[in-house]
Amino acid sequence: MMKNKYQEALDDFESVYRNVTLDDDLTNEKRDVLQGLIDKETPMKPVKNSYGDYLCGKCNNLVWENFTPDRHERCNDKECGQVVDWSDEK
């Protein structure tokens, strides 16, 4: 999978500051927060269940019922919010 611009920026930041002595716990915590935001904005393919509905690939929340015309572009679970990749689905 191709990296998005946010992931590239975080990777570049890490490579520059890898040898700088900072508070490791704080640095790791902030890095994890940034990585979580990047992951949420990186589209993830939905999972089709046995009923033909589609679930969020991250939290399994319903993102499209097969009998409705509207698909969610983002998981509507407040804790998740994952962007959904519909590129392979018709």
Side-chain angles (χ1 to χ4, degrees):
M1 178 191 306
M2 191 171 144
K3 288 184 183 181
N4 68 31
K5 65 182 179 181
Y6 305 115
Q7 185 65 57
E8 288 178 8
L10 180 58
D11 291 347
D12 290 346
F13 179 81
E14 286 181 319
S15 69
V16 169
Y17 288 99
R18 185 170 292 135
N19 298 322
V20 176
T21 304
L22 299 170
D23 180 356
D24 286 340
D25 290 338
L26 180 60
T27 302
N28 289 335
E29 180 182 329
K30 298 297 183 188
R31 190 228 179 268
D32 291 345
V33 168
L34 289 173
Q35 187 64 59
L37 293 171
I38 290 167
D39 292 345
K40 184 184 286 192
E41 294 303 316
T42 303
M44 181 181 280
K45 297 200 178 303
V47 177
K48 190 174 184 179
N49 69 13
S50 60
Y51 301 107
D53 300 329
Y54 287 85
L55 309 176
C56 174
K58 185 173 182 181
C59 74
N60 292 322
N61 192 46
L62 188 66
V63 290
W64 184 53
E65 294 177 284
N66 66 1
F67 57 85
T68 62
D70 298 326
R71 298 178 180 175
H72 298 286
E73 297 303 316
R74 181 181 291 277
C75 178
N76 60 2
D77 181 88
K78 290 180 184 178
E79 294 294 316
C80 181
Q82 179 68 45
V83 174
V84 181
D85 176 3
W86 293 107
S87 62
D88 292 343
E89 305 303 325
K90 305 256 183 306

Coordinates of all heavy atoms in Angstrom, one line a residue:
M1 N 0.8 -1.2 0.0 CA 0.0 0.0 0.0 C 0.9 1.2 0.0 O 1.9 1.3 0.7 CB -0.9 0.0 1.2 CG -1.8 1.2 1.3 SD -2.7 1.5 2.8 CE -3.5 0.0 3.1
M2 N 0.5 2.2 -0.8 CA 1.2 3.5 -0.8 C 1.0 4.3 0.4 O -0.1 4.4 0.9 CB 0.7 4.2 -2.0 CG 1.6 5.4 -2.4 SD 1.0 6.0 -4.0 CE 1.2 7.7 -3.8
K3 N 2.1 4.9 1.0 CA 1.9 5.7 2.2 C 1.3 7.0 1.8 O 1.5 7.6 0.7 CB 3.3 6.0 2.7 CG 4.0 4.9 3.4 CD 5.3 5.4 4.0 CE 6.0 4.2 4.6 NZ 7.3 4.7 5.2
N4 N 0.5 7.5 2.7 CA -0.1 8.8 2.5 C 0.9 9.9 3.0 O 1.8 9.6 3.7 CB -1.5 9.0 3.1 CG -1.5 8.9 4.6 OD1 -0.6 9.4 5.3 ND2 -2.6 8.4 5.2
K5 N 0.5 11.2 2.7 CA 1.5 12.3 3.0 C 1.7 12.4 4.5 O 2.7 12.8 5.0 CB 1.0 13.6 2.4 CG -0.3 14.1 2.9 CD -0.8 15.3 2.2 CE -2.1 15.8 2.7 NZ -2.5 17.0 2.0
Y6 N 0.7 12.1 5.3 CA 0.8 12.2 6.8 C 1.7 11.1 7.3 O 2.6 11.4 8.2 CB -0.6 12.1 7.5 CG -1.6 13.1 6.9 CD1 -2.7 12.6 6.2 CD2 -1.4 14.4 7.1 CE1 -3.6 13.6 5.7 CE2 -2.3 15.4 6.6 CZ -3.4 14.9 5.9 OH -4.3 15.8 5.4
Q7 N 1.6 9.9 6.8 CA 2.5 8.8 7.3 C 4.0 9.2 6.9 O 4.9 9.0 7.6 CB 2.1 7.5 6.7 CG 2.9 6.3 7.2 CD 2.7 6.1 8.7 OE1 1.6 5.9 9.1 NE2 3.8 6.1 9.4
E8 N 4.1 9.7 5.6 CA 5.5 10.1 5.2 C 6.1 11.1 6.1 O 7.2 11.1 6.5 CB 5.5 10.5 3.8 CG 5.2 9.4 2.8 CD 5.2 9.9 1.3 OE1 5.4 11.1 1.1 OE2 4.8 9.1 0.5
A9 N 5.2 12.1 6.5 CA 5.7 13.2 7.3 C 6.1 12.7 8.7 O 7.2 13.1 9.2 CB 4.6 14.3 7.5
L10 N 5.3 11.8 9.3 CA 5.7 11.2 10.6 C 6.9 10.4 10.5 O 7.8 10.5 11.3 CB 4.5 10.4 11.1 CG 4.7 9.7 12.5 CD1 5.0 10.8 13.6 CD2 3.5 8.9 12.9
D11 N 7.1 9.6 9.4 CA 8.3 8.8 9.3 C 9.5 9.7 9.1 O 10.6 9.4 9.7 CB 8.1 7.9 8.0 CG 7.1 6.8 8.2 OD1 6.7 6.5 9.4 OD2 6.7 6.2 7.2
D12 N 9.4 10.8 8.3 CA 10.5 11.7 8.2 C 10.8 12.4 9.5 O 12.0 12.5 9.9 CB 10.1 12.8 7.2 CG 10.1 12.3 5.8 OD1 10.5 11.2 5.5 OD2 9.5 13.1 4.9
F13 N 9.8 12.8 10.3 CA 10.0 13.4 11.6 C 10.8 12.4 12.5 O 11.8 12.7 13.2 CB 8.7 13.7 12.2 CG 8.8 14.4 13.6 CD1 9.1 15.7 13.7 CD2 8.6 13.6 14.7 CE1 9.2 16.3 15.0 CE2 8.7 14.2 16.0 CZ 9.0 15.5 16.1
E14 N 10.4 11.1 12.5 CA 11.0 10.1 13.4 C 12.5 9.9 13.0 O 13.3 9.8 13.8 CB 10.3 8.8 13.3 CG 9.0 8.8 14.0 CD 8.3 7.5 14.0 OE1 8.3 6.8 12.9 OE2 7.7 7.0 15.0
S15 N 12.7 9.9 11.7 CA 14.1 9.7 11.2 C 15.0 10.8 11.6 O 16.2 10.6 12.0 CB 14.2 9.4 9.7 OG 13.9 10.6 9.0
V16 N 14.5 12.0 11.6 CA 15.3 13.2 12.0 C 15.6 13.2 13.5 O 16.7 13.5 14.0 CB 14.6 14.5 11.6 CG1 15.3 15.7 12.2 CG2 14.6 14.6 10.1
Y17 N 14.5 12.9 14.3 CA 14.6 13.0 15.7 C 15.0 11.7 16.5 O 15.0 11.7 17.7 CB 13.3 13.6 16.3 CG 13.2 15.1 16.0 CD1 12.4 15.5 14.9 CD2 13.9 16.0 16.7 CE1 12.4 16.8 14.6 CE2 13.9 17.4 16.4 CZ 13.1 17.8 15.3 OH 13.0 19.1 15.0
R18 N 15.3 10.7 15.7 CA 15.6 9.4 16.3 C 16.7 9.5 17.3 O 16.7 8.8 18.3 CB 15.9 8.4 15.2 CG 16.1 7.0 15.7 CD 16.2 6.0 14.6 NE 14.9 5.9 14.0 CZ 14.7 5.9 12.7 NH1 15.7 5.9 11.8 NH2 13.5 5.8 12.1
N19 N 17.7 10.2 17.0 CA 18.9 10.3 17.9 C 18.9 11.5 18.9 O 19.9 11.7 19.6 CB 20.2 10.4 17.0 CG 20.4 9.2 16.1 OD1 20.1 8.1 16.6 ND2 20.8 9.4 14.9
V20 N 17.8 12.2 18.9 CA 17.7 13.3 19.8 C 17.1 12.8 21.1 O 16.2 12.0 21.2 CB 16.7 14.4 19.3 CG1 16.5 15.5 20.3 CG2 17.3 15.0 18.0
T21 N 17.8 13.2 22.2 CA 17.3 12.7 23.6 C 16.1 13.6 24.0 O 16.3 14.7 24.3 CB 18.4 12.8 24.6 OG1 19.6 12.1 24.1 CG2 18.0 12.3 25.9
L22 N 15.0 12.9 24.1 CA 13.8 13.6 24.5 C 13.1 12.6 25.6 O 13.6 11.5 25.8 CB 12.8 13.8 23.4 CG 13.2 14.6 22.2 CD1 12.3 14.5 21.1 CD2 13.3 16.1 22.7
D23 N 12.1 13.1 26.2 CA 11.4 12.3 27.2 C 10.7 11.1 26.4 O 9.8 11.3 25.7 CB 10.3 13.1 27.9 CG 9.5 12.3 28.9 OD1 9.7 11.0 29.0 OD2 8.7 12.9 29.6
D24 N 11.3 9.9 26.5 CA 10.9 8.8 25.6 C 9.4 8.5 25.8 O 8.7 8.2 24.8 CB 11.7 7.6 25.9 CG 13.1 7.7 25.2 OD1 13.3 8.5 24.3 OD2 14.0 7.0 25.7
D25 N 8.9 8.5 27.1 CA 7.5 8.1 27.3 C 6.6 9.2 26.6 O 5.6 8.8 26.0 CB 7.2 8.1 28.8 CG 7.8 6.8 29.4 OD1 8.1 5.9 28.7 OD2 8.0 6.9 30.7
L26 N 6.9 10.4 26.8 CA 6.1 11.5 26.2 C 6.2 11.4 24.7 O 5.2 11.5 23.9 CB 6.5 12.9 26.7 CG 5.7 14.0 26.1 CD1 4.3 13.9 26.5 CD2 6.3 15.3 26.6
T27 N 7.4 11.2 24.2 CA 7.6 11.1 22.7 C 6.8 10.0 22.1 O 6.2 10.1 21.1 CB 9.1 11.0 22.4 OG1 9.8 12.1 23.0 CG2 9.3 10.9 20.9
N28 N 6.9 8.8 22.8 CA 6.2 7.6 22.3 C 4.7 7.8 22.3 O 3.9 7.4 21.5 CB 6.6 6.4 23.1 CG 8.0 5.9 22.7 OD1 8.5 6.2 21.6 ND2 8.6 5.3 23.6
E29 N 4.2 8.5 23.4 CA 2.8 8.7 23.6 C 2.3 9.7 22.4 O 1.3 9.4 21.8 CB 2.5 9.4 24.9 CG 1.1 9.7 25.2 CD 0.8 10.4 26.5 OE1 1.6 10.1 27.5 OE2 -0.1 11.2 26.6
K30 N 3.0 10.7 22.2 CA 2.6 11.7 21.1 C 2.7 11.0 19.7 O 1.8 11.2 18.9 CB 3.5 12.9 21.1 CG 3.4 13.7 22.4 CD 2.1 14.2 22.6 CE 2.1 15.1 23.9 NZ 0.7 15.5 24.3
R31 N 3.7 10.2 19.5 CA 3.8 9.4 18.3 C 2.7 8.5 18.1 O 2.1 8.4 17.0 CB 5.2 8.6 18.2 CG 5.4 8.1 16.9 CD 5.8 6.6 17.0 NE 6.1 6.1 15.6 CZ 5.1 5.5 14.9 NH1 3.9 5.4 15.3 NH2 5.4 5.1 13.7
D32 N 2.3 7.8 19.1 CA 1.1 6.9 19.1 C -0.2 7.7 18.7 O -1.0 7.2 18.0 CB 0.9 6.1 20.4 CG 2.0 5.1 20.6 OD1 2.8 4.8 19.6 OD2 2.2 4.6 21.7
V33 N -0.3 8.8 19.3 CA -1.5 9.7 19.0 C -1.5 10.0 17.5 O -2.5 9.9 16.8 CB -1.6 10.9 19.8 CG1 -2.6 11.9 19.3 CG2 -1.9 10.6 21.3
L34 N -0.4 10.5 17.0 CA -0.3 10.9 15.6 C -0.5 9.7 14.7 O -1.2 9.8 13.7 CB 1.1 11.5 15.3 CG 1.3 12.9 15.9 CD1 2.8 13.3 15.7 CD2 0.4 13.9 15.2
Q35 N 0.1 8.5 15.1 CA -0.1 7.3 14.2 C -1.6 6.9 14.2 O -2.1 6.5 13.2 CB 0.7 6.1 14.8 CG 0.7 4.9 13.9 CD 1.3 5.2 12.5 OE1 2.5 5.6 12.4 NE2 0.5 5.0 11.4
G36 N -2.3 7.0 15.3 CA -3.7 6.7 15.4 C -4.5 7.6 14.5 O -5.4 7.1 13.8
L37 N -4.2 8.9 14.4 CA -4.9 9.8 13.5 C -4.6 9.5 12.1 O -5.5 9.5 11.2 CB -4.5 11.3 13.8 CG -4.9 11.8 15.2 CD1 -4.3 13.2 15.4 CD2 -6.4 11.9 15.2
I38 N -3.4 9.1 11.8 CA -3.0 8.7 10.4 C -3.7 7.5 10.0 O -4.3 7.4 8.9 CB -1.5 8.5 10.3 CG1 -0.7 9.9 10.4 CG2 -1.1 7.8 9.0 CD1 0.7 9.8 10.6
D39 N -3.8 6.5 10.9 CA -4.5 5.2 10.6 C -6.0 5.5 10.3 O -6.5 4.9 9.4 CB -4.3 4.2 11.7 CG -2.9 3.7 11.8 OD1 -2.1 3.9 10.9 OD2 -2.6 3.2 12.9
K40 N -6.6 6.4 11.1 CA -8.0 6.7 10.9 C -8.3 7.3 9.6 O -9.3 7.1 9.0 CB -8.5 7.6 12.1 CG -9.9 7.9 12.1 CD -10.3 8.9 13.1 CE -10.3 8.2 14.5 NZ -10.9 9.0 15.5
E41 N -7.4 8.1 9.1 CA -7.6 8.8 7.8 C -7.1 8.0 6.6 O -7.3 8.4 5.5 CB -6.8 10.2 7.9 CG -7.4 11.1 8.9 CD -8.9 11.4 8.6 OE1 -9.3 11.6 7.5 OE2 -9.7 11.4 9.6
T42 N -6.5 6.9 6.8 CA -6.1 6.0 5.7 C -7.2 5.1 5.4 O -7.6 4.3 6.3 CB -4.8 5.2 6.1 OG1 -3.8 6.1 6.5 CG2 -4.4 4.3 5.0
P43 N -7.8 5.2 4.3 CA -9.0 4.4 3.9 C -8.8 2.9 4.1 O -7.8 2.3 3.8 CB -9.3 4.7 2.5 CG -8.7 6.1 2.3 CD -7.5 6.1 3.1
M44 N -9.8 2.2 4.7 CA -9.7 0.8 5.0 C -10.9 0.1 4.3 O -12.0 0.7 4.4 CB -9.8 0.5 6.5 CG -9.7 -0.9 6.9 SD -9.8 -1.1 8.7 CE -8.1 -0.8 9.1
K45 N -10.7 -1.0 3.7 CA -11.8 -1.7 3.0 C -12.8 -2.2 4.0 O -12.4 -2.7 5.1 CB -11.2 -2.8 2.2 CG -10.3 -2.3 1.1 CD -10.1 -3.3 0.0 CE -9.3 -2.7 -1.1 NZ -9.7 -1.5 -1.7
P46 N -14.1 -2.1 3.7 CA -15.1 -2.7 4.6 C -15.1 -4.2 4.4 O -14.6 -4.8 3.5 CB -16.4 -2.1 4.0 CG -16.1 -1.9 2.6 CD -14.7 -1.5 2.5
V47 N -15.7 -4.9 5.4 CA -15.9 -6.3 5.4 C -17.3 -6.7 5.2 O -18.2 -6.1 5.8 CB -15.5 -6.9 6.8 CG1 -15.7 -8.4 6.9 CG2 -14.0 -6.5 7.1
K48 N -17.6 -7.5 4.2 CA -18.9 -7.9 3.8 C -19.4 -9.1 4.7 O -18.6 -10.1 4.9 CB -19.0 -8.4 2.4 CG -20.4 -8.6 1.9 CD -20.4 -8.8 0.3 CE -21.8 -8.9 -0.2 NZ -21.7 -9.1 -1.7
N49 N -20.5 -9.0 5.4 CA -21.0 -10.1 6.2 C -21.9 -11.0 5.4 O -22.2 -10.8 4.3 CB -21.7 -9.5 7.5 CG -23.0 -8.8 7.3 OD1 -23.6 -8.9 6.2 ND2 -23.5 -8.1 8.3
S50 N -22.4 -12.0 6.1 CA -23.2 -13.0 5.4 C -24.6 -12.5 4.9 O -25.3 -13.2 4.1 CB -23.5 -14.2 6.4 OG -24.1 -13.8 7.5
Y51 N -25.0 -11.4 5.4 CA -26.3 -10.8 5.0 C -26.1 -9.8 3.8 O -27.1 -9.2 3.3 CB -26.9 -10.0 6.1 CG -27.2 -10.8 7.4 CD1 -26.5 -10.7 8.5 CD2 -28.2 -11.8 7.3 CE1 -26.7 -11.5 9.6 CE2 -28.5 -12.6 8.4 CZ -27.7 -12.4 9.6 OH -28.0 -13.2 10.7
G52 N -24.9 -9.6 3.4 CA -24.6 -8.7 2.3 C -24.4 -7.3 2.7 O -24.2 -6.4 1.9
D53 N -24.4 -7.0 4.0 CA -24.1 -5.7 4.6 C -22.6 -5.5 4.7 O -21.8 -6.5 4.7 CB -24.7 -5.5 6.0 CG -26.2 -5.7 5.9 OD1 -26.9 -5.4 4.9 OD2 -26.8 -6.2 7.0
Y54 N -22.1 -4.3 4.8 CA -20.7 -4.0 5.0 C -20.4 -3.4 6.3 O -21.1 -2.6 6.8 CB -20.2 -3.1 3.9 CG -20.2 -3.8 2.5 CD1 -21.3 -3.9 1.7 CD2 -19.0 -4.3 2.1 CE1 -21.3 -4.5 0.5 CE2 -18.9 -5.0 0.8 CZ -20.1 -5.0 0.0 OH -20.0 -5.7 -1.2
L55 N -19.4 -3.9 6.9 CA -18.9 -3.5 8.3 C -17.6 -2.8 8.2 O -16.8 -3.1 7.3 CB -18.8 -4.7 9.2 CG -20.0 -5.7 9.2 CD1 -19.7 -6.9 10.1 CD2 -21.2 -4.9 9.7
C56 N -17.4 -1.9 9.1 CA -16.1 -1.2 9.2 C -15.0 -2.2 9.4 O -15.1 -3.1 10.2 CB -16.1 -0.2 10.4 SG -14.5 0.6 10.8
G57 N -13.9 -2.1 8.7 CA -12.8 -3.0 8.8 C -12.0 -2.9 10.1 O -11.3 -3.8 10.4
K58 N -12.3 -1.8 10.8 CA -11.6 -1.6 12.1 C -12.4 -2.0 13.3 O -11.9 -2.7 14.2 CB -11.2 -0.2 12.2 CG -10.3 0.2 13.4 CD -9.8 1.6 13.3 CE -8.9 1.9 14.5 NZ -8.5 3.3 14.4
C59 N -13.7 -1.6 13.3 CA -14.5 -1.9 14.6 C -15.7 -2.8 14.3 O -16.4 -3.0 15.3 CB -14.9 -0.5 15.2 SG -16.2 0.3 14.2
N60 N -15.9 -3.1 13.1 CA -17.1 -4.0 12.7 C -18.4 -3.3 12.8 O -19.5 -4.0 12.9 CB -17.1 -5.3 13.5 CG -16.0 -6.2 13.0 OD1 -15.6 -6.2 11.8 ND2 -15.4 -6.9 14.0
N61 N -18.5 -2.0 12.9 CA -19.7 -1.2 12.9 C -20.3 -1.2 11.5 O -19.6 -1.2 10.5 CB -19.5 0.2 13.4 CG -20.7 0.9 13.7 OD1 -21.6 0.4 14.4 ND2 -20.8 2.2 13.3
L62 N -21.6 -1.2 11.4 CA -22.3 -1.2 10.1 C -22.0 0.1 9.4 O -22.2 1.2 9.9 CB -23.8 -1.4 10.3 CG -24.6 -1.6 9.1 CD1 -24.3 -2.9 8.4 CD2 -26.1 -1.5 9.5
V63 N -21.5 0.0 8.1 CA -21.2 1.2 7.3 C -22.1 1.2 6.1 O -22.2 2.2 5.4 CB -19.7 1.3 6.9 CG1 -18.9 1.6 8.1 CG2 -19.2 0.1 6.2
W64 N -22.7 0.1 5.7 CA -23.7 0.1 4.6 C -24.6 -1.2 4.6 O -24.1 -2.3 4.7 CB -23.0 0.1 3.2 CG -23.9 0.2 2.1 CD1 -24.9 1.2 1.9 CD2 -23.9 -0.6 0.9 NE1 -25.5 1.0 0.7 CE2 -24.9 -0.1 0.1 CE3 -23.2 -1.7 0.5 CZ2 -25.2 -0.7 -1.1 CZ3 -23.5 -2.3 -0.7 CH2 -24.5 -1.8 -1.5
E65 N -25.9 -1.0 4.6 CA -26.8 -2.1 4.5 C -27.1 -2.2 3.1 O -27.4 -1.3 2.3 CB -28.1 -1.8 5.3 CG -27.8 -1.7 6.8 CD -29.0 -1.3 7.6 OE1 -29.4 -0.1 7.5 OE2 -29.6 -2.2 8.2
N66 N -27.2 -3.5 2.6 CA -27.3 -3.7 1.2 C -28.6 -3.3 0.5 O -28.7 -3.2 -0.7 CB -27.0 -5.2 0.8 CG -28.1 -6.1 1.4 OD1 -29.1 -5.6 2.0 ND2 -28.0 -7.4 1.2
F67 N -29.6 -2.9 1.3 CA -30.9 -2.5 0.8 C -31.0 -1.0 0.8 O -32.1 -0.5 0.4 CB -32.1 -3.2 1.5 CG -32.1 -2.9 3.0 CD1 -32.6 -1.8 3.5 CD2 -31.5 -3.9 3.8 CE1 -32.7 -1.5 4.9 CE2 -31.5 -3.6 5.2 CZ -32.1 -2.5 5.7
T68 N -30.0 -0.3 1.2 CA -30.1 1.2 1.2 C -29.1 1.8 0.2 O -28.1 1.2 -0.1 CB -29.7 1.8 2.6 OG1 -28.4 1.4 2.9 CG2 -30.7 1.3 3.7
P69 N -29.4 2.9 -0.4 CA -28.6 3.5 -1.4 C -27.3 4.2 -0.9 O -26.4 4.4 -1.6 CB -29.5 4.5 -2.1 CG -30.5 4.9 -1.1 CD -30.7 3.7 -0.2
D70 N -27.3 4.6 0.4 CA -26.3 5.4 0.9 C -25.2 4.6 1.6 O -25.5 3.9 2.5 CB -26.8 6.5 1.8 CG -27.8 7.5 1.1 OD1 -27.5 7.7 -0.1 OD2 -28.7 7.9 1.7
R71 N -24.0 4.8 1.3 CA -22.9 4.2 2.0 C -22.2 5.3 2.8 O -22.1 6.5 2.3 CB -21.8 3.7 1.0 CG -22.3 2.6 0.1 CD -21.2 2.2 -0.9 NE -21.7 1.2 -1.8 CZ -21.0 0.7 -2.7 NH1 -19.8 1.2 -3.0 NH2 -21.5 -0.3 -3.5
H72 N -21.7 4.9 3.9 CA -21.0 5.9 4.8 C -19.5 6.0 4.3 O -18.9 5.0 4.0 CB -21.0 5.5 6.2 CG -22.3 5.4 6.8 ND1 -23.0 6.5 7.2 CD2 -23.1 4.3 7.2 CE1 -24.2 6.2 7.7 NE2 -24.3 4.9 7.7
E73 N -19.0 7.2 4.1 CA -17.6 7.4 3.7 C -16.7 7.3 4.9 O -15.5 7.1 4.7 CB -17.5 8.8 3.1 CG -18.3 8.9 1.8 CD -17.9 7.9 0.7 OE1 -16.7 7.6 0.5 OE2 -18.9 7.3 0.1
R74 N -17.3 7.3 6.1 CA -16.5 7.2 7.3 C -17.4 6.4 8.3 O -18.6 6.6 8.3 CB -16.3 8.6 7.8 CG -15.5 8.7 9.1 CD -15.3 10.1 9.5 NE -14.4 10.9 8.6 CZ -13.1 10.9 8.7 NH1 -12.5 10.2 9.6 NH2 -12.4 11.6 7.9
C75 N -16.8 5.6 9.1 CA -17.5 4.8 10.1 C -18.1 5.8 11.1 O -17.5 6.8 11.5 CB -16.5 3.9 10.9 SG -17.3 3.0 12.2
N76 N -19.4 5.6 11.4 CA -20.1 6.6 12.2 C -20.0 6.3 13.7 O -20.7 6.9 14.5 CB -21.6 6.8 11.8 CG -22.4 5.5 11.8 OD1 -21.8 4.4 12.2 ND2 -23.6 5.5 11.4
D77 N -19.2 5.3 14.1 CA -19.0 5.0 15.5 C -18.1 6.2 16.0 O -17.1 6.5 15.5 CB -18.2 3.7 15.6 CG -18.0 3.4 17.1 OD1 -18.8 2.8 17.7 OD2 -16.9 3.7 17.6
K78 N -18.5 6.8 17.1 CA -17.8 8.0 17.7 C -16.4 7.7 18.1 O -15.5 8.5 18.0 CB -18.6 8.5 18.8 CG -19.9 9.2 18.4 CD -20.6 9.7 19.6 CE -22.0 10.3 19.1 NZ -22.7 10.8 20.2
E79 N -16.1 6.5 18.5 CA -14.7 6.1 18.9 C -13.9 5.8 17.7 O -12.7 5.9 17.8 CB -14.8 4.9 19.9 CG -15.4 5.2 21.2 CD -14.7 6.2 22.0 OE1 -13.4 6.1 22.1 OE2 -15.3 7.1 22.6
C80 N -14.5 5.3 16.6 CA -13.7 4.8 15.5 C -13.5 5.9 14.5 O -12.4 6.4 14.3 CB -14.4 3.6 14.9 SG -13.5 2.9 13.5
G81 N -14.5 6.2 13.7 CA -14.4 7.3 12.7 C -13.5 6.9 11.5 O -13.1 7.8 10.7
Q82 N -13.2 5.6 11.3 CA -12.4 5.2 10.2 C -12.9 5.6 8.8 O -14.1 5.4 8.6 CB -12.2 3.7 10.3 CG -11.4 3.0 9.2 CD -9.9 3.4 9.3 OE1 -9.4 3.4 10.4 NE2 -9.3 3.8 8.2
V83 N -12.0 6.0 7.9 CA -12.4 6.3 6.6 C -12.6 5.0 5.8 O -11.8 4.1 6.0 CB -11.4 7.2 5.8 CG1 -11.7 7.4 4.4 CG2 -11.3 8.6 6.5
V84 N -13.7 4.8 5.1 CA -14.0 3.6 4.4 C -13.5 3.7 2.9 O -13.8 4.6 2.2 CB -15.5 3.2 4.5 CG1 -15.8 1.9 3.8 CG2 -15.9 3.2 5.9
D85 N -12.9 2.6 2.4 CA -12.4 2.6 1.0 C -13.4 1.7 0.3 O -13.4 0.5 0.4 CB -11.0 1.9 1.0 CG -10.5 1.7 -0.4 OD1 -11.2 2.1 -1.4 OD2 -9.4 1.1 -0.5
W86 N -14.2 2.4 -0.6 CA -15.2 1.7 -1.4 C -14.7 1.4 -2.8 O -15.5 1.0 -3.6 CB -16.5 2.5 -1.5 CG -17.2 2.6 -0.2 CD1 -17.3 3.7 0.6 CD2 -18.0 1.6 0.5 NE1 -18.0 3.5 1.7 CE2 -18.5 2.2 1.7 CE3 -18.3 0.3 0.2 CZ2 -19.3 1.5 2.6 CZ3 -19.1 -0.4 1.1 CH2 -19.5 0.2 2.3
S87 N -13.5 1.6 -3.1 CA -13.0 1.5 -4.4 C -13.2 0.2 -5.1 O -13.4 0.1 -6.4 CB -11.5 1.8 -4.5 OG -10.7 0.9 -3.7
D88 N -13.2 -0.9 -4.4 CA -13.4 -2.2 -5.0 C -14.9 -2.7 -5.0 O -15.2 -3.7 -5.6 CB -12.6 -3.3 -4.3 CG -11.1 -3.1 -4.5 OD1 -10.8 -2.4 -5.5 OD2 -10.3 -3.7 -3.8
E89 N -15.7 -2.0 -4.3 CA -17.1 -2.4 -4.2 C -18.0 -1.7 -5.2 O -17.8 -0.5 -5.5 CB -17.6 -2.1 -2.8 CG -16.8 -2.7 -1.7 CD -16.6 -4.2 -1.8 OE1 -17.6 -4.9 -2.2 OE2 -15.5 -4.7 -1.4
K90 N -19.0 -2.4 -5.7 CA -19.9 -1.8 -6.8 C -21.1 -1.3 -6.1 O -21.6 -1.8 -5.2 CB -20.2 -2.9 -7.8 CG -19.0 -3.5 -8.4 CD -18.7 -3.0 -9.8 CE -17.6 -3.5 -10.5 NZ -16.3 -3.6 -10.0

